[in-house]
């Protein structure tokens, strides 16, 4: 387990506190054993599972991911990967609630097209409204649009999850300014979801003030997923520490010597550098 930043509050989502601010996916691994090994190395406590692609008991007799990731140990976050309409997403999460004995913390994603996997925001808003009314605690994958993010929060979503870049692209954070606007306004946790490629991306998300980071491909598709998972866990803690510490002000195109400039031996001009 990667240490929580000293003196930091836990991440609270839907009324439950977590020490780790790294959330991970479960897809794209060679087998369930590798999935578990990488998740253990990441220190993540919340793991998201694509209900349409993973057996959680809907296919009796086949390997069940819950045997490898027991809900007694992990918070299971069913997600609607592969859903393109609000109807599909709502139906999928109702199935998940049945399979998981009434579990109601879910990740909503309604995709807009098969090339970009960009969120379809009108359908996402429709689904979020229905799910919240139906008693779900909804964490929602969304565009990095501050207005849409605020509408989702007003609808009652428990976490806002803007993309860093396209799902599976590993392109990192393409619009830190929009993320900053979302973070400044949100009263629920903001968790960057999708597009993280390497540890520095995760650290930057946390330095920006995100409450957490969700990722899958950067770990599962790494040369050594267990090692990358460990690196991601450390990066999230390091980024959070830097955010809490408060970065120095930037000096755009203005240097400032890092050593004293007065009283230098044998120099009348102060030197510097
Ligand atoms: C696992 C999951 O929920 C994905 O839909 C998510 O958006 C992660 O994206 P990356 O694979 O780019 O990390």
């Amino acid at each position: 387990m990667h240490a929580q930043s000293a003196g930091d509050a836990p991440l609270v989502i839907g009324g439950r506190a977590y020490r780790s601010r790294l959330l991970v996916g479960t897809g794209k691994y060679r087998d369930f054993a590798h999935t578990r090994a990488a998740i253990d190395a990441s220190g993540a406590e919340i793991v998201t599972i694509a209900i349409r692609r993973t057996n959680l008991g809907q296919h009796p007799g086949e390997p069940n991911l819950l045997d490898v990731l027991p809900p007694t140990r992990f918070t299971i976050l069913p997600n609607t990967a592969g859903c393109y309409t609000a109807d599909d997403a709502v139906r999928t999460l109702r199935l998940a609630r049945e399979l998981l004995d009434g579990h109601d913390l879910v990740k909503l994603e309604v995709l807009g097209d098969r090339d970009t996997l960009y969120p379809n925001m009108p359908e996402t808003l429709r689904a979020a409204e229905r799910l919240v009314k139906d008693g779900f605690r909804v964490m929602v994958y969304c565009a990095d649009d501050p207005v849409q993010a605020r509408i989702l929060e007003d609808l009652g979503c428990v976490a806002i999850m803007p993309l860093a870049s396209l799902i599976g692209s590993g392109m990192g954070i393409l619009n830190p300014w929009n993320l900053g606007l979302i973070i400044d306004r949100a009263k629920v946790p903001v968790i960057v979801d999708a597009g993280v490629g390497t540890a520095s991306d995760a650290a930057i998300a946390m330095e920006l003030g995100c409450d957490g980071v969700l990722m899958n491909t950067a770990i599962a598709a790494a040369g050594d997923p267990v090692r990358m998972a460990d690196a991601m866990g450390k990066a999230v803690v390091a980024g959070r520490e830097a955010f809490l510490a408060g970065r120095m002000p930037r000096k755009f195109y203005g240097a400032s010597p890092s050593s004293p400039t007065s009283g230098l031996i044998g120099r009348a001009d102060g030197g510097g550098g």
Side-chain angles (χ1 to χ4, degrees), residues 221-236:
D224 181 342
V226 170
R227 196 165 198 162
M228 183 58 86
D230 179 52
M232 290 297 188
K234 290 170 178 161
V236 166

Side-chain angles (χ1 to χ4, degrees), residues 83-106:
C83 292
Y84 287 81
T85 65
D87 281 349
D88 270 359
V90 170
R91 200 177 312 117
T92 300
L93 291 175
R94 285 185 179 148
L95 169 66
R97 186 161 61 180
E98 273 175 40
L99 287 169
L100 296 168
D101 299 326
H103 175 88
D104 60 14
L105 183 69
V106 296

Side-chain angles (χ1 to χ4, degrees), residues 22 112 141 154 170-171 179 234:
L22 173 58
Y141 168 67
D154 290 346
M171 290 294 290
L179 288 180
K234 290 170 178 161

Side-chain angles (χ1 to χ4, degrees), residues 24-28 48 79 81 107 109 141 165-170 193-196 214-218:
V24 293
T26 52
K28 301 182 180 172
T48 188
N79 74 58
K107 180 187 150 185
E109 60 178 70
Y141 168 67
S165 48
L166 301 185
I167 293 175
S169 70
D193 176 11
V196 165
L214 188 151
M215 66 182 73
N216 185 177
T217 311

